[in-house]
Amino acid sequence: MDLHGIREDYSKRELSEAECDASPIVQFEQWLNEAIQSQVNEPTAVNVAAVDAAGRPNSRVVLLKEVNPQGFVFFTNYHSRKGKSFDANPFAAMTFFWPELERQVRIEGRIEKLDAAASDEYFESRPYASRIGAWASAQSEVLSGKAALVAKAAAVGARHPLHVPRPPHWGGYIVIPDRVEFWQGRPSRLHDRIQYRLENGAWIKERLSP
């Protein structure tokens, strides 16, 4: 398989420091809204990278569930591989890629668990079957077979036929950014890259070489 000739020449849009908001959170919300309005496939899908206790990086795709002035929120099993990595090293990197808009956003920062009340509130909004799944799946652990998972889910459903409470091992994380980069594809690989860097509590906006 020859992959050398696979390439795209990006040319749809440009990005300048002047058009970027002073806040990377506001700028992200603008871009996310454009992605949603443009019907980008899975606009909230984000690759989240972590580093475990042995110093090995690992990453996976999750769904962003909230953006607020503090940062970027997603929910997961605290006992999963990523959860254990966050316990060992409380920093994360996130990457959004919207190829239809020729855009990428990179976010780095500290990661913290949401409080129980916020996790409870979101869990209650999930479909019934998804709430059962949070109990049934020992995420990232080796599974003897699909039948064992189905049986466990059935047992959880029998135990909680009407209301499924949030498992104590499941909840939200927030990535509190200290670096955010907006990437806009441009012709000849001369891409526009605008970085926000937090310094002494203030955001510094600067252009990076492509």
Side-chain angles (χ1 to χ4, degrees), residues 107-153:
I107 300 159
E108 299 174 20
R110 185 173 182 83
I111 189 164
E112 298 178 359
K113 288 180 180 177
L114 293 185
D115 61 37
S119 291
D120 286 341
E121 181 180 3
Y122 174 69
F123 192 77
E124 289 297 320
S125 75
R126 302 184 87 209
Y128 177 78
S130 296
R131 283 179 275 163
I132 287 178
W135 281 99
S137 174
Q139 195 174 98
S140 302
E141 299 298 323
V142 175
L143 186 64
S144 61
K146 186 69 173 287
L149 181 63
V150 172
K152 191 172 180 182

Side-chain angles (χ1 to χ4, degrees), residues 19-34 67-72 98 103 105 107 177 180 182 196 203 205:
E19 69 186 89
C20 289
D21 193 271
S23 163
I25 299 292
V26 173
Q27 182 63 34
F28 176 83
E29 290 176 326
Q30 292 174 358
W31 270 28
L32 178 60
N33 185 59
E34 285 189 48
V67 186
N68 62 46
Q70 285 70 51
F72 304 83
W98 300 313
R103 285 176 171 175
V105 182
I107 300 159
V180 182
F182 295 86
Y196 293 76
W203 286 106
K205 187 167 48 173

Side-chain angles (χ1 to χ4, degrees), residues 91-106:
F91 293 91
M94 311 176 83
T95 304
F96 292 85
F97 181 47
W98 300 313
E100 296 90 339
L101 299 178
E102 300 176 348
R103 285 176 171 175
Q104 176 178 248
V105 182
R106 299 170 60 194

